[in-house]
């Protein structure tokens, strides 16, 4: 029985080994990159946005909400306005949940992590919607096996989307009639991002 448990731990360790492709780390260390590679926090897979980003998809309906960081100064991290998701400067994500993150997987993993994080704070986004956004982005950015990746996300995403002991973010629900704030300064659309 102990041998079985030990071998299960080894298998989980191998499957969950995370790495970034070398070009992701190299680009993330450049001064003008749209993300920062931060190996000092989590070797091989910690990234942080260096500008505000927008993902617009007319087939996506995310509702209307703001997500604030759970600690002071409670800055806005994410914002949904129907068919547009804004990811503000300073959002941290870790690439794909297991295995190696390739350059074409950066944006899909960022969107997916952002939406799962919003769910933790109470944003009204069903997990299937977040997973569908991942699939659409994976197809757009040319991931090698978007449908297989999507099926894995559908099957296992719930396990990876709930960090233990983390303070959940604060979601402020809005209405479509609420005044729309201007987009964050310096917003870039994802289709303009380098990969």
């Amino acid at each position: 029985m102990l041998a079985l448990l030990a071998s299960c731990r080894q298998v989980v360790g191998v499957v969950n080994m995370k790495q970034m492709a070398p070009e992701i780390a190299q680009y993330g260390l450049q001064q003008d990159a749209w993300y920062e590679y931060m190996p000092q926090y989590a070797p091989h897979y910690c990234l942080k946005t260096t500008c505000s980003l927008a993902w617009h998809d007319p087939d996506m309906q995310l509702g209307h909400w703001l997500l604030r960081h759970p600690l002071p100064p409670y800055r806005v991290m994410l914002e949904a306005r129907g068919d547009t998701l804004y990811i503000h400067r300073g959002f941290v994500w870790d690439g794909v949940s297991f295995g190696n993150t390739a350059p074409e997987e950066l944006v899909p993993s960022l969107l997916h992590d952002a939406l799962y994080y919003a769910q933790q704070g109470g944003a009204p986004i069903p997990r299937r919607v977040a997973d569908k956004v991942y699939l659409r982005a994976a197809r757009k950015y040319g991931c090698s096996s978007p449908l297989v990746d999507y099926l894995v996300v559908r099957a296992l995403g719930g396990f990876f989307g709930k960090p233990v002991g983390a303070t959940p973010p604060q979601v402020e629900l809005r209405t479509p009639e609420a005044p729309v704030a201007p987009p964050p300064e310096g917003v870039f659309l994802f289709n303009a991002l380098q990969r």
Side-chain angles (χ1 to χ4, degrees), residues 85-165:
L85 175 68
Y86 290 97
I87 300 174
H88 292 257
R89 182 176 187 239
F91 184 79
V92 176
W93 87 107
D94 63 354
V96 297
S97 293
F98 48 88
N100 297 332
T101 302
E104 62 272 11
E105 295 171 317
L106 280 176
V107 170
S109 69
L110 171 59
L111 293 167
H112 197 245
D113 283 8
L115 292 174
Y116 269 40
Y117 188 63
Q119 286 177 329
Q120 293 169 25
I125 306 165
R127 198 181 117 221
R128 72 180 183 289
V129 171
D131 295 346
K132 194 66 131 178
V133 168
Y134 173 84
L135 175 61
R136 292 174 66 79
R139 285 180 171 154
K140 179 175 181 162
Y141 277 86
C143 291
S144 59
S145 55
L147 188 56
V148 171
D149 294 345
Y150 168 75
L151 293 173
V152 170
V153 163
R154 286 300 301 144
L156 303 174
F159 296 109
F160 290 97
K162 298 175 183 168
V164 178

Side-chain angles (χ1 to χ4, degrees), residues 11-172:
V11 169
V12 168
V14 168
V15 169
N16 201 28
M17 291 295 291
K18 295 177 70 145
Q19 290 264 338
M20 292 288 168
E23 57 267 37
I24 292 174
Q26 290 168 353
Y27 176 78
L29 295 172
Q30 295 176 18
Q31 189 147 6
D32 62 346
W34 65 269
Y35 62 86
E36 177 184 355
Y37 175 58
M38 303 186 321
Q40 65 273 26
Y41 294 108
H44 311 301
Y45 59 85
C46 191
L47 303 166
K48 178 173 75 170
T49 58
T50 58
C51 56
S52 293
L53 305 162
W55 174 263
H56 175 76
D57 182 345
D59 293 329
M60 172 177 74
Q61 286 304 314
L62 299 176
H64 297 270
W65 46 265
L66 291 174
L67 181 127
R68 296 182 187 280
H69 193 278
L71 303 172
Y74 307 111
R75 66 183 172 77
V76 174
M77 298 171 60
L78 303 171
E79 186 172 356
R81 297 182 190 156
D83 59 4
T84 304
L85 175 68
Y86 290 97
I87 300 174
H88 292 257
R89 182 176 187 239
F91 184 79
V92 176
W93 87 107
D94 63 354
V96 297
S97 293
F98 48 88
N100 297 332
T101 302
E104 62 272 11
E105 295 171 317
L106 280 176
V107 170
S109 69
L110 171 59
L111 293 167
H112 197 245
D113 283 8
L115 292 174
Y116 269 40
Y117 188 63
Q119 286 177 329
Q120 293 169 25
I125 306 165
R127 198 181 117 221
R128 72 180 183 289
V129 171
D131 295 346
K132 194 66 131 178
V133 168
Y134 173 84
L135 175 61
R136 292 174 66 79
R139 285 180 171 154
K140 179 175 181 162
Y141 277 86
C143 291
S144 59
S145 55
L147 188 56
V148 171
D149 294 345
Y150 168 75
L151 293 173
V152 170
V153 163
R154 286 300 301 144
L156 303 174
F159 296 109
F160 290 97
K162 298 175 183 168
V164 178
T167 305
Q170 301 173 354
V171 169
E172 176 185 322

Side-chain angles (χ1 to χ4, degrees), residues 1-12:
M1 183 64 150
L2 289 175
L4 179 61
L5 288 174
S7 64
C8 286
R9 281 194 198 119
Q10 288 176 341
V11 169
V12 168

